[in-house]
Every structure is written in structure tokens, then in C-alpha cells.
Amino acid sequence: MLKYLFIILIFSSNLYSNHKVLDREIDSLKNLVYSDMAKDTREYHTNVIELYRKYRYFNNDSAKYYLKYGVELSSHYKLDLVTRDYYNIMGLDAFDKSDFSSALVNFYKCLEYSVKTNEIGAVGYTYSDIGFVFYVQGLWDLALEHYQEGIRFIKDADSLETISLPLLYENSGLCFGHLNQIDSANHYLNLALEYYKKHDIKDKVHHIYLYLGHINRRHVKDNKKALEYYYLALNFFKEDRSWLEGYPYTLFHTGESYFALKEYDKTIEYYKTTLLEMKKLGWNKKIIDINFKLAYVYLELNKIDKVDSVININDELIKQFESIDLFMDKYYFQYNYFKKLNNSDSALLYFEKYNKLKDSLVESSVTGQVASVLKDLQIVKNKQERKMLAEKNEQKMYLFLFIIILFIFLIVLIYSRLRLQKKSLILQNEKNDALEKANKLLDEANHTKDKFFSIIAHDLKNPIGAIKSTSELMTTDYDLFDKNEIKESIEDIYNSSNSVQSLLDSLLTWSRSQRGKLDFNPETFNLQLLVKNSFFLLKSNADLKKISLINNISDDYNITADANMINTIIRNLISNAIKFTPENGKITISAYKENNNNVITIEDTGIGISKENQNKLFNFGTNYTTPGTNNEKGTGLGLILVNEFIERHNGKIAIESEINKGTKFIITLPNEK
């Protein structure tokens, strides 16, 4: 009993001391924020921002409160520069949480204030931030569009020395690389390199040389040219090692280029040097990857004794990690190893082990969902404990700890025997509950898989068949086609490809929803800005049919909902309206409050939907879909997603439609507070 009390006392004392300094810092900042200090100064708002940063990692509600408070106050006093900083911070915060929709909303507001205050450098950085939101999602075209817009703005302002300009050059070069526009990629990366050299920004010079090396190695397949850039980067590392991971990273890619050139001695030299640098940094997991690379080189050279030596080292390192991926890499290497030795039995054995682990990843995803829930519960618990400790003063904390210790002492004294007797039963019940939940999740996963196969078989067959038959015809009878027929055939292939891509995007989102991978995170956001962003993404589709997109939502219309789900709902309904609206039509979005509900309407002047077909739209089993006015293909899955996301909000969707006059979708969402 005394042992338990001693442990509790030590734990409580350490917990208190760890937060004591932070408590004093927060109290000091609060005293400044709530003092008589003038609230229309940057100094005052610096304290508000610092208070947000103190709260950010353990009390998100308080952090959000002070950001919102700061924005409202700076807007009231017309402190445009300070307001810009607040929106930038909120954009970065949302980006860190992968809330890309909210990040874009805040970065666009930051851009608005940066332009308003004529802060050229800030405008450049904000265009870079917006572009990076698209970049990390693989939307290279949209990212590049914003980077180029930033460059044009800075050049129009004749501010070519601003530090944000080379960053926009650099990011543009990376986007062009992803888009396989190699000349443009080299052009912009060299513009960035010229600036960084001129201003002696050495760590950025490292980066540019690496990027140029990667472009030549991965895209151009010119490994000799790539080596020139890698050596230039290595020369800079001799003077400056501030970028810790950069040096071993460059050594590794130098080895990769030599491997591609089949200069195996050089490959081994650089792989070994990479290993030495990684050992200094304690990167054991990365060391395993490089060892496998080294073993493949030895295997290529038939140096079996060296292969065995490297693999033995890896076997010891792999034991440190409970990683299925590492064991998969090990078994796949063993498969190639025995295949090289013409030992087909052993090769087959390790290939089967590799496939078995690969299949087990599907099963582990179900278990991972349960573990994720437990982890989230623990995080919530920790945040609550920290919040409680942060808000108590020293006198109340000692009193609280004394009461807790006394209460635990009494509980242990009275119930210790009873708890020992019940422990076995509780553990058994927990195992049964966990097994039941796992079985339920597995049944749902199987049901989802069956639906996927059904949709893929039905909806991929026609567009892929169309691509195959059209391309085959063009290949065999190309000389028989005139220009118009060739153009029509290419358009058919393009439309079929879009149909396949649309289906795959919808399937991915729907499957994440079905497997519980889409979190429901209600927040307050501006609906007009969200719709404006959706119009921006779909404008090119509407322009093809000369369709007008009209946003009738007021600029101060805010709702509380999951922004990502509402964005998906709006985007799917707009896309659907474009598909079934003939040329020179219009699509109008409106929103208003009614009986404590938010009502959103999407109305088009399209071909309309019959009563009979309206009942099929949201039914997964019917898989209902029809071609658009320009024979656009669809999957029917988009409206399934719309219906499911609206139900997640406890909302409803209704349809009003007349044939050849148009359709109105009416979404009703509870006005959450």
C-alpha cells in the first residue's frame, strides 16, 4: 500500500513541476492581454499570438479562442498588417492538421490583406503557401498556377529582389518537373539558383543542386549530368553541414546514379559512406534500406559472402522494429537472392512469405482502426489533464493533489480484494468485446469490397473498352482518318479517361467513408468562400459548355459543419449540374436560414430528372447513371457520397425538377452552434 502511495506522490510531483514554468508564462501573458495596454498596437497582438502558441499543443480550444479574439480585435481597429498575420497563422495551423480546405480559406484571406497593404514579399509568400496546399495533394497544375501568379505580381511591382521570388521560382521548377516539362523545370530552378548564389544563401543552393540532379536522373535519365549536380552539392556540404539530413541524402543519390551507370565500385563506395553518416545520426531504419541496396549490388557482382554479411547485419537491425514493411523487404530480397542462386524451392518459399505478409496488411488495417480509437481516447484524456493542471494556481493544486492521494488510498484499501477477484472476468469481457468489434469491422470491410468489385466491373468496362477500341482503330487505320476524325477519336479517349479518373476519385473517397477513415470535424467557416473555391476548380468544365456559375451566397454567411464533407457535397452537385445542363445555361447556388436550419440550394437550367429516376439517385444498389448533354460519362457514385455526407450531418436532401426546365437540389442542415 505504501508503495502505491509513494509512486503516486512522485508522479504527481513531477507532473506539477513540468507545468509550473508554463503556467507562469501563460499567466504572465494573460495579465498583459487583459491589462490596460492599448489594443491597437502590434506589441499587444504579439502577446495574443504568443498566448496562442503556448496553448496550441495542449489546449486547442483556448488556442482557437485567442486567434479568433485577435482577428476580431485587429479588424475592429483596422490593423490590416496584423490581421494578415492572424490569417497566415490560421492557414498554417489548418495545413499542419491536413485541413486543406480551411487552410486555403485562410490563405486567400491573408492574400487579400497582403495585396491591400502592398506587402510585396508577403504576397509572394502567400501565393507560395496556397500553391503548396495544392502541391502536397498532387495537384501540380493548380499549384503551378498560383506560383506563376505570384511571380507575375512581383515582376509587375518591379520588386525582383524580394526573397519570396526565388522561392516561387524553385516551386515552379518542381511543378514543371512533376509535369515532365523538363526545359521549364530547368529554367526556373536555375533562376532560383542564380538568386541564391548572388545572395550567398548556401543551404538553398544545396537544395537546387539536388533538385537539378533528381530531374536529370529520374526524368531525363541522364545519370552523368545528375552526378555533376550531386558533386556540386557535396562540395557545398564540405563547408556547411547545417542541413543534417542533406549530406547522407546526397551521398545516397550519388550512389543511385552510379548504380544506374553500372559502375558498381563507385556505387558501393557511396552507399558505404551514406551508411557511416546515417550511423552518426542514429537512423537505424534508413540504414536497413541502404543495406538492402548494398546487398543487391553485391548480388549483382556474385559476391555471395558479402551479401550474407550485409543481410546478417540487417537481420539484427530489423529486430529493433516491429515493422511488417521491413520483413516484406527482407523476404523479397531473399526471394531474389535464391532466384539468383537458381534455388527455386527456397525462392518460392520466401516469395510465399512475402505474399502472406502483404495480405496480412489488409487484416491489420481493421485492427489498426481499433488501436486508433484507443489512441484518440488517450490523447483526449491527456489534454484534459493538462488543461486542468494549467488552470489551477499553486494553492489549489496542492489541495487537489492531497484530496486525490487520500481518495486513492481509501479506494485501494477498501476495494483491493474485490478488484483482484474481478480482474479475470473483466479481462475476459474486454477480449470478447474486442473480438466482436473486430468481426463487425471485418464484415463491413467485406461488404465494402463486394460493392467496389461490382462498381469497378460495371463502370470501368465501357470507358476502358472505348479507349482500347478507339486507340486500336487509330493504330491500325491511322492513314484512313482525316483531321476531324482524329480529333473526335482523341476527344473520345479523353472523355473516357476522365470518366475512369472520376470513378476512381469517387471510389477512393467513398471507401474511406465506409471504412471510417473520414473524420467528422465540425467547425465554423464561410460558405461563400467554399463555394467560390469549388467554382474555381470546376470553371474550366463550365466554360466548355458556356455555362454561367452564379454564387448568390452573402459574403458573411457562416455555417458550422465539416468543411471537407460540405466541399465534397457542393463540388459533386455542381459537377452533376454542369453535366446535365446544355450550352449557355446557368447554375445558381443560394443559402438562407430557416427554422434554425441552414438551407442550401443548387439550381440549374438543365434537362431535368423524371420522378421515377429521382428515387434511384441515392440508392447504391441501383447504380443509376445517364450520359450528360455532351455525352459526358458518370458513375452515379458522386450522389451516393453526397447523401452519406449529408446524413453524417443529420441533414436532408430533396429534389425539385421538371423535364427540359431544370433541377433544384435542396440541402437542409441543422444550424449547429
Side-chain angles (χ1 to χ4, degrees), residues 62-284:
S62 294
K64 282 185 175 180
Y65 167 79
Y66 283 107
L67 275 183
K68 183 178 179 182
Y69 168 76
V71 170
E72 292 175 350
L73 203 61
S74 63
S75 298
H76 173 74
Y77 285 109
K78 301 186 184 306
L79 302 174
D80 292 339
L81 289 173
V82 175
T83 305
R84 179 205 66 193
D85 291 343
Y86 277 119
Y87 280 118
N88 182 60
I89 291 170
M90 289 191 288
L92 294 171
D93 188 65
F95 180 82
D96 288 343
K97 296 171 183 174
S98 297
D99 185 357
F100 299 133
S101 178
S102 296
L104 285 173
V105 169
N106 286 296
F107 282 143
Y108 279 126
K109 290 295 291 184
C110 178
L111 180 62
E112 176 186 331
Y113 278 93
S114 298
V115 172
K116 183 178 180 181
T117 55
N118 200 31
E119 291 286 322
I120 308 302
V123 171
Y125 279 123
T126 308
Y127 270 118
S128 181
D129 289 336
I130 295 171
F132 196 63
V133 175
F134 291 116
Y135 183 92
V136 297
Q137 298 178 80
L139 302 171
W140 319 123
D141 287 330
L142 287 174
L144 181 61
E145 183 177 327
H146 286 84
Y147 294 147
Q148 292 289 296
E149 186 64 32
I151 292 171
R152 284 192 292 271
F153 185 91
I154 292 173
K155 287 185 175 180
D156 289 343
D158 197 22
S159 298
L160 300 182
E161 290 300 309
T162 179
I163 188 61
S164 58
L165 180 60
L167 180 61
L168 292 165
Y169 286 151
E170 180 180 337
N171 292 334
S172 293
L174 293 176
C175 285
F176 278 121
H178 284 295
L179 294 170
N180 282 322
Q181 298 182 33
I182 306 305
D183 290 340
S184 296
N186 281 316
H187 171 70
Y188 280 99
L189 287 174
N190 278 293
L191 285 176
L193 181 63
E194 181 182 339
Y195 184 98
Y196 293 141
K197 282 184 174 180
K198 178 181 178 181
H199 294 83
D200 197 29
I201 307 176
K202 293 182 179 179
D203 59 328
K204 298 298 291 184
V205 172
H206 298 164
H207 285 79
I208 301 301
Y209 280 143
L210 280 176
Y211 295 150
L212 288 168
H214 293 343
I215 286 174
N216 281 278
R217 185 170 70 84
R218 294 172 177 170
H219 299 287
V220 184
K221 307 300 181 184
D222 186 349
N223 284 281
K224 290 185 178 180
K225 188 67 175 179
L227 283 171
E228 293 179 15
Y229 287 116
Y230 290 145
Y231 276 123
L232 287 170
L234 289 172
N235 286 334
F236 270 90
F237 280 120
K238 290 178 182 178
E239 303 176 10
D240 182 6
R241 293 283 185 89
S242 58
W243 183 24
L244 291 178
E245 65 271 24
Y247 185 51
Y249 183 72
T250 309
L251 289 169
F252 166 70
H253 285 287
T254 304
E256 290 282 87
S257 289
Y258 276 121
F259 183 78
L261 293 169
K262 296 186 178 182
E263 295 186 29
Y264 297 128
D265 290 340
K266 283 287 189 179
T267 304
I268 293 169
E269 175 189 342
Y270 278 93
Y271 281 169
K272 284 186 174 181
T273 310
T274 303
L275 287 170
L276 290 174
E277 292 300 321
M278 287 184 173
K279 286 177 182 177
K280 293 177 185 178
L281 297 171
W283 292 353
N284 286 345

Side-chain angles (χ1 to χ4, degrees), residues 445-463:
N446 286 332
H447 183 59
T448 299
K449 179 192 70 175
D450 293 340
K451 288 185 177 182
F452 273 7
F453 287 157
S454 175
I455 290 174
I456 290 170
H458 182 273
D459 288 324
L460 286 183
K461 180 179 179 182
N462 289 338

Side-chain angles (χ1 to χ4, degrees), residues 417-567:
R417 290 182 179 271
L418 183 61
R419 289 175 64 190
L420 287 173
Q421 293 173 358
K422 291 184 177 181
K423 184 177 181 181
S424 178
L425 180 61
I426 291 172
L427 288 173
Q428 187 61 44
N429 288 338
E430 289 176 347
K431 289 180 181 179
N432 291 338
D433 289 343
L435 183 59
E436 183 179 348
K437 290 178 181 177
N439 287 334
K440 184 178 179 180
L441 287 171
L442 188 58
D443 288 341
E444 291 176 357
N446 286 332
H447 183 59
T448 299
K449 179 192 70 175
D450 293 340
K451 288 185 177 182
F452 273 7
F453 287 157
S454 175
I455 290 174
I456 290 170
H458 182 273
D459 288 324
L460 286 183
K461 180 179 179 182
N462 289 338
I464 290 179
I467 292 172
K468 181 178 182 298
S469 61
T470 304
S471 58
E472 182 179 4
L473 189 60
M474 290 184 68
T475 301
T476 57
D477 298 324
Y478 182 84
D479 294 333
L480 300 179
F481 286 85
D482 59 28
K483 288 185 178 181
N484 290 332
E485 289 173 330
I486 292 173
K487 182 178 180 183
E488 290 175 2
S489 297
I490 293 173
E491 287 176 352
D492 288 342
I493 293 174
Y494 173 74
N495 292 331
S496 296
S497 301
N498 277 343
S499 177
V500 172
Q501 183 180 5
S502 175
L503 171 60
L504 294 178
D505 289 343
S506 296
L507 280 175
L508 179 60
T509 304
W510 183 84
S511 66
R512 291 177 64 207
S513 171
Q514 293 298 300
R515 293 183 289 122
K517 292 293 186 180
L518 285 179
D519 295 332
F520 182 67
N521 296 314
E523 59 179 308
T524 300
F525 60 90
N526 186 279
L527 183 60
Q528 190 214 44
L529 285 175
L530 186 144
V531 171
K532 182 179 179 181
N533 187 48
S534 294
F535 277 1
F536 176 77
L537 295 176
L538 295 170
K539 186 176 184 299
S540 60
N541 292 346
D543 288 345
L544 288 175
K545 299 173 74 174
K546 300 178 182 178
I547 294 173
S548 301
L549 301 178
I550 303 170
N551 186 349
N552 279 342
I553 302 173
S554 61
D555 57 5
D556 60 348
Y557 195 99
N558 295 327
I559 67 170
T560 300
D562 186 299
N564 286 327
M565 291 188 181
I566 298 300
N567 189 39

Side-chain angles (χ1 to χ4, degrees), residues 291-486:
N291 274 336
F292 277 128
K293 293 276 188 180
L294 187 59
Y296 275 113
V297 179
Y298 286 136
L299 190 61
E300 190 71 24
L301 296 171
N302 285 317
K303 295 183 178 181
I304 304 303
D305 56 333
K306 291 188 178 293
V307 173
D308 293 337
S309 175
V310 173
I311 293 305
N312 288 335
I313 294 171
N314 253 14
D315 286 343
E316 292 301 316
L317 291 173
I318 289 173
K319 292 177 183 178
Q320 301 176 17
F321 305 95
E322 295 180 3
S323 172
I324 292 179
D325 290 338
L326 290 178
F327 278 101
M328 286 175 63
D329 291 341
K330 173 184 175 181
Y331 293 148
Y332 192 74
F333 177 83
Q334 295 285 20
Y335 156 69
N336 285 291
Y337 174 77
F338 286 111
K339 184 180 177 183
K340 180 79 171 180
L341 298 179
N342 293 320
N343 188 337
S344 57
D345 291 338
S346 296
L348 179 60
L349 173 65
Y350 280 102
F351 189 73
E352 288 174 347
K353 285 186 176 184
Y354 167 77
N355 274 331
K356 186 177 180 180
L357 280 182
K358 188 176 180 181
D359 293 339
S360 72
L361 288 176
V362 176
E363 298 175 10
S364 66
S365 66
V366 176
T367 306
Q369 293 180 32
V370 177
S372 178
V373 172
L374 294 175
K375 182 179 179 181
D376 289 343
L377 289 174
Q378 185 62 41
I379 291 172
V380 171
K381 179 182 177 183
N382 291 341
K383 286 184 177 180
Q384 290 174 341
E385 290 176 348
R386 290 179 180 178
K387 181 179 179 180
M388 184 180 296
L389 288 170
E391 293 176 351
K392 296 295 181 181
N393 58 35
E394 186 171 346
Q395 181 179 359
K396 289 183 179 180
M397 180 61 72
Y398 279 120
L399 178 60
F400 173 75
L401 291 174
F402 174 77
I403 294 172
I404 290 294
I405 292 169
L406 181 60
F407 178 77
I408 293 175
F409 175 80
L410 293 174
I411 291 296
V412 173
L413 184 64
I414 296 172
Y415 293 105
S416 59
R417 290 182 179 271
L418 183 61
R419 289 175 64 190
L420 287 173
Q421 293 173 358
K422 291 184 177 181
K423 184 177 181 181
S424 178
L425 180 61
I426 291 172
L427 288 173
Q428 187 61 44
N429 288 338
E430 289 176 347
K431 289 180 181 179
N432 291 338
D433 289 343
L435 183 59
E436 183 179 348
K437 290 178 181 177
N439 287 334
K440 184 178 179 180
L441 287 171
L442 188 58
D443 288 341
E444 291 176 357
N446 286 332
H447 183 59
T448 299
K449 179 192 70 175
D450 293 340
K451 288 185 177 182
F452 273 7
F453 287 157
S454 175
I455 290 174
I456 290 170
H458 182 273
D459 288 324
L460 286 183
K461 180 179 179 182
N462 289 338
I464 290 179
I467 292 172
K468 181 178 182 298
S469 61
T470 304
S471 58
E472 182 179 4
L473 189 60
M474 290 184 68
T475 301
T476 57
D477 298 324
Y478 182 84
D479 294 333
L480 300 179
F481 286 85
D482 59 28
K483 288 185 178 181
N484 290 332
E485 289 173 330
I486 292 173

